[in-house]
Amino acid sequence: MLDYTTKEIKPREALRVNPAKTCQPVGAMYAALGVHKCLPHSHGSQGCCAFHRMFLTRHFKDPAMASSSSFTEGASVFGGGSNLKTAAKNIFDIYKPDIIAVHTTCLSETIGDDLNAIIQDIDIPEGKYMVHTNTPSYKGSHITGFSNMVSGFIHYLAKSTGKKNGKVTIIPGFTNPGDMREMKKIASLMKVPFIVLPDTSGVMDSPMTGTFTMYPAGGTKVEDIIELGDTNLTIALGELTSESPAETLKKKCNVPYKTLPLPIGVAETDAYVMALQEFSSEEVPYELEEERGQLVDIMIDIHPYTYNKTCAIYGDPDTVLGIAEFVLELGMIPKYIVTGTPGILFETRAKELYAKYGVEDYKAKEAGDLFLLHQWIKNEKVDLLIGGTHGKHIARAEDIPLVRAGFPIIDRYIHSYMPIVGYKGAMRLAELICNAILDRKDRDDAEEDFEMVL
Amino acid sequence: MSAKEQVLENYSSRVYKNRKEHMVEVNNNDNNNMITANVRAVPGIMTHRGCCYAGCKGVVLGPIKDAVQIVHGPIGCSFYAWGTRRHKAKKVEDTDHYLQYCFSTDMQEADIVFGGEKKLKKAIEEAMDIFHPSTIFICSTCPVGLIGDDIHAVARWAETEYGIKCIAFSCEGYKGVSQSAGHHIANNQLMRFVIGEGDREPKSKFSVNILGEYNIGGDGWETERILKRIGYEVVSVFTGDSSIEDLKNAHKANLSIVQCHRSINYIAEMLETKYGVSWLKGNFVGVEATIKTLRDIAKFFNDPEMTARTEDVIADEINLIEDDMEYYKSKLKGKKAVLYVGGSRAHHYQLLLNDLGITTLLAGYEFGHRDEYEGREVIPTIKPDADSKNIESITVEPDQEKYHLYLPEEEVNRLKEENFLGYYGGMVKDMKDGTYMVDDLNHFETEEFIRLLKPDIFFSGIKDKFVAQKSGVLSRQLHSYDYSGPYAGFRGAVNFARDITMGIYTPAWGLTKAPWKTTPTLVGTLGGEA
């Protein structure tokens, strides 16, 4: 397995090997699927759209609907305006969405299609909407694309009437429907009126009923996005993903925002709860306090197995930082953390986090890849890997247990229904981590040391 | 009104005019089953097609295990082709194996603005330094063609600089109208720079190439197993579990057996013209089809001992699977299927379904050409359109030194006249009257045809699998085999039958409706109504 990965680390400037990111448009597609009766549209050649739908379908084991402008060589030379016009007409005719959310690819970005101008020329049926964002694949990652699409919705739709509605805007970051449900549950328990954008719960985890529904029940409604302009505050969860759309809403409608890390683990869930409490001035309900207490109880119960265990975490920046903080709370040492998404802020935040826990022996890398991570591990092994499916080769090559968390997980089921955020999500993450460690112990212990009770 | 008319009537006149040409009710039309295929997709219609890059790098080149395949472009294209198509390959001594790796130049904005050639060269330098490969492929993606990076010049530079083989593939996603263009581009370059370079003499005159077999889930291994059992020598497989060294020797074989006609017919034709290697269209999907193919191969080699051995092996293999096949047939007989797959399986799997007593109601290709639907006899009447005219078509001449014929020329010609060699009859001849062929079936049509035809199983890909299942229809993927396989050959037939049987009989289908939805809650409804 991965036999050509060398222990010796030679600097690489140009060759990317086994990336820990993918490109912008799939993030935009995911964000657009979090809007009710929205059809994501990929303005480029159709291969991108096919790949992105596959990526999402493989992760969620659910349909991911999206259309494409289907560029040909002609359109690539002369511009894709007429492709988008034809597409819009066909989409409204045949698929009848309330809103089409257009994103771009490296093709339409390189030729410089002016989406603003093209969309203005399109005859959009009464009561329907068409929005867009630019998502050049050669900048950032899928996280950037997600962020851009959320900003795109706000830019086109959010309106301020001058009268506040007493609600909080929650931007949940690039997370699973299970996480979005958990974030909403906490806000509901705190009795805070809120609008979540985007919200893929009820869309990418829709139930089996025997009838396929093109636009499932979930997703943020267009009228709610419009209303975002009147919300009193935005809570942007995941600084590297959600701050930029929060900033867009501030610029456009003067809604102030508060940026928090993804609520993974005790401290960051506490921060989320406190931010909600500050807004609502409601007491934190006992249910949440109970959940929190259960979580801490669990953490103390399992400490003999987690304390000082080392791990490597890879994936999307906010998720990796969140998981790193939670494992630190568990007494573990996240020796290596890697994100493929570029942006030096990741390393800055990592440094602050490690300083908080007094950990000095670590490596954190933005714009890194799994080849580099594997090389680090070859030089100094860790006890556990935490990330998406693409790390499974390293797990096997180095015989390290893998805990699957983040995007994409394409070789396991059910995960997207379950949260890793909130106290409940932290419990699940703790269970996954502890089980992986104990399963390994059961496998490795000598027969005479094999224990019934652990 | 036919199902076809019912589906079409929902379209606006423009889309109607376009799409009706892509639908044929078999033997119930005035056009001799003529279909429109291999033309551009309608924007916004939700086609399931991919792009030229996918056809070149993802399909034809991807399985070649000892080439470091560097995708020149932003990260996505490379990432999505990483481990997602199940072309299996074994690690063997003296041959590199890079299929667990994903290589990209990960182009950034500056590379788009100032050009990416420098970064590509640097990436090759780094790949040489770390991996020391004997072969590097460069595959271009959408922006590369637009910004004018000369990847072919870079490939020549790498060959001189490092004394390796470096081949560039200009397979930008926007070329052609589907994956199909990418097949053609890959075929051209493999013909130009690989085939014919080897000098490994086959040990036996019963030497064959298997063309268009990508070893998904181990299909190629099962095919090879059967051929080797009879006594054939497999010189090369294009390109499942293949190495460049194997491919270099393809011209040494005496016969090519074509499994996927669409993706590899260019090489099959050129191998024949340049080196005299005849080809016949085989099919190792389905028990009857496999038997026929084995007999056809025996007929070509026309050797009494091999013919006898063929029958022995067939008898033995049948004996081994007979009970299983009978059992599954008893569970599946009378079921109805719809198939929508890339460019060859929509035809091949109908034969396997026949073996199990399952009827096909509708079949379609994403990117088959008219010859896959109607047979090679229509090729002279196919007019290239503006979208595919730009796909390079190369011609080859007989190679004075390496040209060789197994059968005398007159015999080859006679077998060609009989449509035994160099011929593919297409899908339509195996379809029943009144069934449907639909080209580039889109999402809307998928939903409508499922509603109207009520199949028991919808065979397709990952993008529409869960659409079908949410509507209560079992869907099995015929691209990835839902991570199962092999499905080819004798053993594959049993695997396939087992997989669809478990799909049909999964208890959870019966739990779809909540009891409170089906139990009358109002007192006083009509008697017996639930």
Side-chain angles (χ1 to χ4, degrees):
Chain A
M1 196 62 56
L2 298 176
D3 295 340
Y4 306 91
T5 305
T6 52
K7 194 172 169 186
E8 186 198 354
I9 301 172
K10 292 178 177 169
R12 277 177 292 131
E13 287 165 27
L15 186 68
R16 173 71 63 211
V17 189
N18 295 359
K21 66 168 177 184
T22 183
C23 63
Q24 281 210 40
V26 73
M29 187 183 282
Y30 182 52
L33 285 165
V35 170
H36 187 59
K37 289 201 82 175
C38 174
L39 190 71
H41 181 84
S42 169
H43 186 55
S45 62
Q46 69 212 6
C48 312
C49 185
F51 276 145
H52 298 143
R53 294 182 62 199
M54 282 178 198
F55 173 99
L56 295 173
T57 300
R58 285 180 175 132
H59 177 87
F60 296 104
K61 316 293 182 198
D62 250 357
M65 310 312 289
S67 55
S68 165
S69 292
S70 292
F71 272 53
T72 55
E73 191 153 11
S76 308
V77 176
F78 301 112
S82 71
N83 287 56
L84 187 55
K85 275 178 215 166
T86 310
K89 176 165 173 31
N90 290 335
I91 293 165
F92 283 126
D93 271 5
I94 303 166
Y95 295 114
K96 303 176 176 60
D98 283 353
I99 175 168
I100 299 173
V102 184
H103 62 260
T104 57
T105 69
C106 46
L107 176 56
S108 49
E109 285 296 326
T110 305
I111 65 177
D113 268 354
D114 181 352
L115 272 276
N116 266 318
I118 297 170
I119 290 176
Q120 267 172 24
D121 265 4
I122 289 175
D123 198 11
I124 298 165
E126 184 68 27
K128 305 276 182 171
Y129 299 86
M130 199 162 165
V131 304
H132 97 277
T133 192
N134 292 89
T135 49
S137 318
Y138 44 77
K139 260 191 189 166
S141 74
H142 57 295
I143 294 299
T144 323
F146 179 90
S147 189
N148 285 346
M149 191 74 244
V150 182
S151 293
F153 281 114
I154 293 169
H155 174 76
Y156 268 87
L157 300 171
K159 275 199 190 84
S160 131
T161 61
K163 208 174 151 237
K164 290 290 172 191
N165 59 15
K167 293 180 186 175
V168 171
T169 297
I170 298 171
I171 303 177
F174 200 112
T175 54
N176 277 314
D179 296 314
M180 296 180 189
R181 284 179 192 273
E182 187 64 19
M183 293 171 190
K184 289 194 290 182
K185 182 195 89 181
I186 294 174
S188 299
L189 284 171
M190 293 293 297
K191 299 197 172 59
V192 170
F194 60 85
I195 299 169
V196 178
L197 175 74
D199 181 3
T200 58
S201 67
V203 182
M204 300 311 292
D205 61 356
S206 71
M208 173 74 187
T209 59
T211 313
F212 168 76
T213 319
M214 179 93 182
Y215 306 106
T220 315
K221 297 199 165 60
V222 169
E223 58 265 34
D224 288 339
I225 307 177
I226 295 170
E227 217 192 302
L228 289 182
D230 287 339
T231 55
N232 294 51
L233 172 75
T234 300
I235 298 182
L237 296 169
E239 185 182 7
L240 294 91
T241 314
S242 304
E243 189 169 86
S244 157
E247 181 66 34
T248 306
L249 187 58
K250 185 178 176 206
K251 270 191 198 140
K252 190 165 185 219
C253 304
N254 207 22
V255 178
Y257 65 87
K258 195 177 179 113
T259 307
L260 296 172
L262 279 182
I264 299 175
V266 182
E268 301 312 344
T269 304
D270 287 349
Y272 176 52
V273 172
M274 300 284 281
L276 290 166
Q277 192 200 22
E278 203 176 302
F279 179 78
S280 75
S281 70
E282 282 271 336
E283 287 289 304
V284 178
Y286 177 68
E287 280 142 290
L288 272 179
E289 217 171 288
E290 186 181 49
E291 267 184 17
R292 187 185 185 282
Q294 289 171 330
L295 171 62
V296 179
D297 190 62
I298 287 167
M299 292 166 72
I300 293 167
D301 291 345
I302 67 173
H303 83 268
Y305 304 107
T306 56
Y307 193 76
N308 265 353
K309 285 281 190 315
T310 58
C311 68
I313 309 165
Y314 55 90
D316 301 333
D318 288 314
T319 312
V320 170
L321 288 169
I323 296 174
E325 182 158 5
F326 179 53
V327 301
L328 283 162
E329 289 173 340
L330 286 170
M332 295 171 65
I333 300 161
K335 238 174 131 50
Y336 313 125
I337 62 170
V338 172
T339 184
T341 299
I344 201 67
L345 193 58
F346 175 78
E347 291 178 17
T348 312
R349 290 291 174 262
K351 199 173 167 186
E352 292 161 7
L353 179 64
Y354 285 105
K356 191 166 130 193
Y357 282 84
V359 174
E360 281 164 9
D361 182 20
Y362 74 91
K363 288 187 165 79
K365 178 92 178 79
E366 53 94 25
D369 57 31
L370 297 183
F371 188 78
L372 175 70
L373 176 65
H374 190 187
Q375 289 184 311
W376 285 348
I377 291 172
K378 275 188 177 297
N379 282 281
E380 209 181 329
K381 215 174 157 174
V382 289
D383 299 313
L384 198 65
L385 276 174
I386 306 174
T389 292
H390 290 83
K392 75 190 283 183
H393 292 98
I394 303 177
R396 178 162 165 152
E398 304 302 327
D399 195 23
I400 302 170
L402 169 63
V403 168
R404 286 169 178 79
F407 277 87
I409 297 171
I410 53 181
D411 63 338
R412 290 295 184 270
Y413 292 75
I414 311 145
H415 53 84
S416 60
Y417 295 78
M418 305 294 178
I420 62 167
V421 302
Y423 304 121
K424 263 280 187 284
M427 278 184 216
R428 173 166 170 262
L429 206 46
E431 185 183 16
L432 291 173
I433 289 170
C434 188
N435 284 353
I437 292 168
L438 293 181
D439 282 347
R440 177 54 51 100
K441 180 177 160 54
D442 280 343
R443 192 201 78 177
D444 290 348
D445 276 350
E447 208 166 304
E448 61 274 22
D449 294 326
F450 190 69
E451 298 284 346
M452 188 63 84
V453 184
L454 286 168
Chain B
M1 203 169 19
S2 73
K4 171 186 151 178
E5 283 304 322
Q6 288 184 63
V7 171
L8 284 169
E9 73 169 357
N10 295 283
Y11 283 137
S12 66
S13 56
R14 250 174 93 177
V15 177
Y16 176 91
K17 217 174 132 217
N18 178 304
R19 288 301 301 157
K20 77 174 171 41
E21 306 289 326
H22 295 264
M23 296 185 191
V24 167
E25 194 176 343
V26 174
N27 293 338
N28 189 11
N29 57 77
D30 304 325
N31 293 326
N32 202 19
N33 293 328
M34 191 174 102
I35 196 164
T36 296
N38 189 37
V39 297
R40 61 172 72 171
V42 178
I45 201 127
M46 239 189 272
T47 172
H48 284 98
R49 283 176 173 177
C51 66
C52 178
Y53 159 83
C56 180
K57 152 72 182 148
V59 173
V60 182
L61 305 180
I64 303 173
K65 61 187 169 190
D66 58 345
V68 162
Q69 308 191 14
I70 301 178
V71 177
H72 188 36
I75 199 65
C77 303
S78 181
F79 179 87
Y80 301 117
W82 178 17
T84 46
R85 195 158 170 273
R86 302 180 56 239
H87 40 246
K88 295 193 170 203
K90 278 195 186 99
K91 176 121 180 68
V92 292
E93 229 173 299
D94 299 327
T95 306
D96 289 336
H97 186 309
Y98 296 112
L99 298 195
Q100 291 152 6
Y101 292 91
C102 162
F103 303 100
S104 168
T105 54
D106 192 5
M107 284 175 106
Q108 299 298 305
E109 192 160 32
D111 306 314
I112 301 292
V113 177
F114 302 110
E117 279 178 39
K118 248 170 75 182
K119 192 173 193 185
L120 176 60
K121 277 188 177 179
K122 184 88 186 129
I124 291 172
E125 265 176 48
E126 291 170 4
M128 287 310 303
D129 197 26
I130 299 167
F131 299 97
H132 321 290
S134 57
T135 307
I136 289 180
F137 293 163
I138 304 165
C139 295
S140 54
T141 63
C142 286
V144 172
L146 300 173
I147 63 174
D149 275 359
D150 187 350
I151 59 167
H152 300 275
V154 175
R156 286 193 296 274
W157 163 84
E159 294 207 327
T160 326
E161 182 76 17
Y162 297 105
I164 56 158
K165 183 174 274 303
C166 186
I167 311 173
F169 297 84
S170 289
C171 53
E172 285 84 353
Y174 55 75
K175 287 193 171 160
V177 298
S178 68
Q179 290 92 313
S180 177
H183 303 148
H184 200 165
I185 289 163
N187 276 230
N188 290 348
Q189 297 297 73
L190 292 177
M191 194 65 205
R192 266 193 187 118
F193 299 116
V194 179
I195 296 167
E197 286 188 2
D199 51 12
R200 198 162 67 197
E201 273 315 314
K203 293 178 196 76
S204 128
K205 64 175 176 173
F206 305 114
S207 56
V208 297
N209 298 315
I210 310 173
L211 302 187
E213 169 52 67
Y214 303 101
N215 200 31
I216 306 301
D219 275 356
W221 292 333
E222 168 67 1
T223 305
E224 272 189 74
R225 182 188 69 81
I226 299 166
L227 290 173
K228 284 179 178 164
R229 233 195 121 183
I230 295 171
Y232 294 105
E233 181 177 346
V234 178
V235 174
S236 73
V237 181
F238 277 72
T239 50
D241 194 15
S242 70
S243 70
I244 285 288
E245 205 48 45
D246 297 338
L247 303 184
K248 279 180 181 172
N249 290 290
H251 65 293
K252 296 275 187 183
N254 279 330
L255 176 70
S256 297
I257 305 154
V258 172
Q259 175 69 39
C260 171
H261 177 264
R262 179 70 267 135
S263 65
I264 215 79
N265 76 90
Y266 313 99
I267 281 179
E269 285 283 291
M270 289 189 281
L271 261 174
E272 176 166 40
T273 311
K274 192 168 178 186
Y275 302 109
V277 186
S278 299
W279 67 271
L280 69 79
K281 175 73 184 76
N283 174 23
F284 289 96
V285 176
V287 179
E288 292 304 319
T290 302
I291 294 172
K292 179 180 184 302
T293 302
L294 295 175
R295 288 184 177 147
D296 282 352
I297 300 168
K299 182 178 165 188
F300 172 83
F301 283 103
N302 196 20
D303 175 271
E305 208 172 303
M306 286 300 269
T307 307
R309 185 121 184 91
T310 301
E311 293 306 324
D312 287 349
V313 169
I314 291 172
D316 188 52
E317 294 281 341
I318 291 295
N319 189 32
L320 290 168
I321 63 165
E322 215 163 23
D323 291 353
D324 283 343
M325 287 302 277
E326 273 314 308
Y327 168 75
Y328 290 124
K329 194 171 172 174
S330 75
K331 304 293 279 183
L332 298 171
K333 204 169 164 21
K335 301 283 180 207
K336 296 178 299 255
V338 165
L339 296 93
Y340 179 56
V341 212
S344 84
R345 290 189 179 101
H347 176 199
H348 296 145
Y349 276 82
Q350 291 188 41
L351 307 181
L352 178 48
L353 291 171
N354 286 346
D355 293 339
L356 294 164
I358 301 171
T359 332
T360 299
L361 305 175
L362 180 149
Y365 295 122
E366 275 174 54
F367 49 77
H369 295 199
R370 278 184 60 205
D371 27 328
E372 274 75 41
Y373 288 102
E374 302 170 58
R376 281 184 74 90
E377 57 269 35
V378 304
I379 290 177
T381 68
I382 299 176
K383 292 181 208 76
D385 70 356
D387 294 322
S388 36
K389 258 199 322 231
N390 300 335
I391 307 303
E392 186 189 25
S393 196
I394 62 172
T395 48
V396 291
E397 300 296 328
D399 184 302
Q400 303 296 342
E401 265 174 60
K402 297 173 185 164
Y403 193 89
H404 61 99
L405 287 174
Y406 176 77
L407 293 176
E409 204 176 332
E410 315 79 71
E411 182 66 5
V412 171
N413 288 338
R414 196 181 63 76
L415 291 173
K416 277 190 178 174
E417 301 255 303
E418 277 180 22
N419 279 343
F420 177 78
L421 286 180
Y423 176 72
Y424 174 42
M427 177 157 89
V428 73
K429 298 180 183 66
D430 284 315
M431 291 191 70
K432 291 205 174 69
D433 292 359
T435 59
Y436 296 96
M437 294 198 299
V438 181
D439 177 65
D440 188 16
L441 183 84
N442 56 53
H443 170 74
F444 171 74
E445 291 163 13
T446 300
E447 260 197 84
E448 290 297 293
F449 276 117
I450 286 179
R451 191 173 59 81
L452 294 165
L453 301 177
K454 299 182 177 54
D456 298 291
I457 321 166
F458 177 66
F459 290 103
S460 183
I462 186 69
K463 294 192 293 293
D464 35 8
K465 177 186 172 81
F466 299 102
V467 167
Q469 293 200 168
K470 293 261 177 192
S471 17
V473 177
L474 170 68
S475 177
R476 291 290 304 180
Q477 298 179 60
L478 282 188
H479 298 270
S480 74
Y481 305 162
D482 285 281
Y483 329 109
S484 177
Y487 282 172
F490 297 108
R491 292 176 184 173
V494 175
N495 291 339
F496 177 79
R498 178 203 61 213
D499 287 354
I500 43 179
T501 304
M502 73 181 181
I504 295 266
Y505 292 96
T506 284
W509 292 114
L511 305 172
T512 304
K513 287 271 171 277
W516 52 89
K517 294 275 187 192
T518 48
T519 310
T521 46
L522 284 176
V523 183
T525 48
L526 287 176
E529 240 183 40

